[in-house]
Amino acid sequence: MPIPTPTARAGHRTGNFADTSPTDRPAAPPSSIDLPPDTSDPHDPHDPPPEGITRYRTIWLSDIHLGTQGCQAEYLLDFLRHHESDYLYLVGDIIDGWHLRRGWHWPQAHNDVVQKMLRRARKGTQVIYVPGNHDEAARQFCGLAFGDIAVRDETFHTTLSGKRLWVTHGDLFDGVIQHAKWLAYLGDSLYTLTLLLNRWFNRVRTRFGFPYWSLSQYLKHQVKNAVNFISAFEQVMADEARRRGCDGVVCGHIHKPEIREIDGLLYCNDGDWVESLSALVETTEGELRIIHWTQKRNARPPVKAAPVSV
């Protein structure tokens, strides 16, 4: 069955949204929701010494899928312990509501990720959360703040080089999600089966001393329909960024980290923490980079299955 191509969401609002860049900071949210206090030590004893931490101006993370067995929370915690930033964007699918409705899965590492982000916000990092399709329930709280984390339907960021980037998860421009959600749920089940194979494959790799490598991501990128879908999605996102008067877009959703130019627009995808284990960063000099954390770290936390879909 051919995959429907991504489409712009009819009637999607394009009003003026707060720009979270330092040149035009947003006004305070109209109200906030207080979270229970964090009773843990404000200093994480597992954090590296200051000389072991790399500081970036901005970090973008998406598709973490907390609440699933596939979430590579240990890798993400390791990444967060070694990187700090002035701005942290959570670009959707942070918590996987689809899978939490089927069954509860919330190990300590997932809670540690949440506490880590809350701690960052309390210590002065500007944290902006843009919900996606797996955590779409959070969209009803857009304009509010949870523990100093601002929730936005979409937002904008201006880089040091002056590029204005539109920040959105991307599911609102996915024809499958918008017009055939049943197909998205079916794909989710098939994806779960594929990623079950991924777990056993990586257990064998780990036993022989090899690092984590995503079999599921490799297979996905070899399927012609999937490749065509990704290309169409990237084009739609670039076109929408142009329509908003931006120089580029930062999104997630398709689990494929990328930085490239499309018809003069900058397309950036920050990847995921299920397959690619990647993040998009802006250096203190204003350069945009993709970081693949498994290529940077020798430590190999336990490999988990990844029953999630985009």
Side-chain angles (χ1 to χ4, degrees), residues 55-298:
R55 185 161 195 90
Y56 292 106
R57 183 170 182 264
T58 313
I59 296 175
W60 289 269
L61 301 170
S62 76
D63 298 275
I64 298 172
H65 292 280
L66 295 169
T68 71
Q69 293 181 349
C71 171
Q72 301 286 351
E74 294 88 353
Y75 280 105
L76 178 56
L77 283 169
D78 189 49
F79 173 83
L80 291 172
R81 286 166 183 152
H82 287 83
H83 299 85
E84 292 183 352
S85 62
D86 299 325
Y87 303 91
L88 173 60
Y89 291 90
L90 306 175
V91 195
D93 286 3
I94 305 304
I95 297 175
D96 197 316
W98 289 15
H99 282 265
L100 286 175
R101 283 196 296 267
R102 300 176 192 171
W104 187 257
H105 177 80
W106 196 267
Q108 183 60 44
H110 294 207
N111 196 61
D112 292 342
V113 169
V114 173
Q115 292 296 343
K116 194 77 167 175
M117 293 173 178
L118 290 169
R119 191 177 296 119
R120 289 283 170 90
R122 287 198 305 273
K123 289 185 175 181
T125 298
Q126 187 171 345
V127 184
I128 303 95
Y129 174 25
V130 180
N133 53 302
H134 282 258
D135 49 10
E136 60 189 351
R139 285 181 170 143
Q140 63 186 304
F141 302 112
C142 288
L144 303 181
F146 289 84
D148 299 319
I149 297 178
V151 185
R152 297 286 184 267
D153 183 45
E154 59 181 19
T155 191
F156 300 90
H157 174 83
T158 302
T159 68
L160 276 179
S161 62
K163 290 187 179 296
R164 190 166 188 258
L165 303 177
W166 170 45
V167 182
T168 182
H169 181 64
D171 63 296
L172 297 178
F173 303 90
D174 178 344
V176 175
I177 297 295
Q178 294 303 312
H179 305 297
K181 203 163 188 176
W182 65 270
L183 186 57
Y185 285 121
L186 175 61
D188 181 50
S189 299
L190 296 175
Y191 194 49
T192 298
L193 179 60
T194 302
L195 293 173
L196 187 61
L197 298 175
N198 188 75
R199 178 180 62 179
W200 295 107
F201 175 77
N202 272 286
R203 281 184 177 177
V204 173
R205 284 180 62 86
T206 301
R207 192 166 298 170
F208 284 93
F210 293 103
Y212 177 87
W213 182 76
S214 179
L215 171 65
S216 57
Q217 186 180 49
Y218 172 79
L219 293 175
K220 182 173 69 177
H221 294 164
Q222 301 307 308
V223 177
K224 184 178 179 180
N225 278 358
V227 173
N228 291 341
F229 170 81
I230 289 171
S231 297
F233 175 84
E234 294 172 343
Q235 184 68 56
V236 166
M237 298 307 295
D239 290 344
E240 284 294 321
R242 188 191 310 278
R243 192 165 69 87
R244 283 165 167 74
C246 295
D247 301 300
V249 58
V250 177
C251 61
H253 188 53
I254 61 173
H255 296 199
K256 187 178 186 297
E258 187 81 69
I259 299 178
R260 69 186 184 97
E261 191 173 287
I262 302 176
D263 299 332
L265 268 290
L266 186 63
Y267 170 85
C268 303
N269 193 299
D270 54 26
D272 66 281
W273 289 86
V274 172
E275 298 179 83
S276 63
L277 313 186
S278 60
L280 174 70
V281 300
E282 178 192 7
T283 69
T284 53
E285 293 77 33
E287 180 186 357
L288 295 175
R289 299 177 182 171
I290 293 288
I291 295 180
H292 294 270
W293 194 229
T294 55
Q295 297 176 10
K296 297 291 184 182
R297 300 291 295 163
N298 292 324

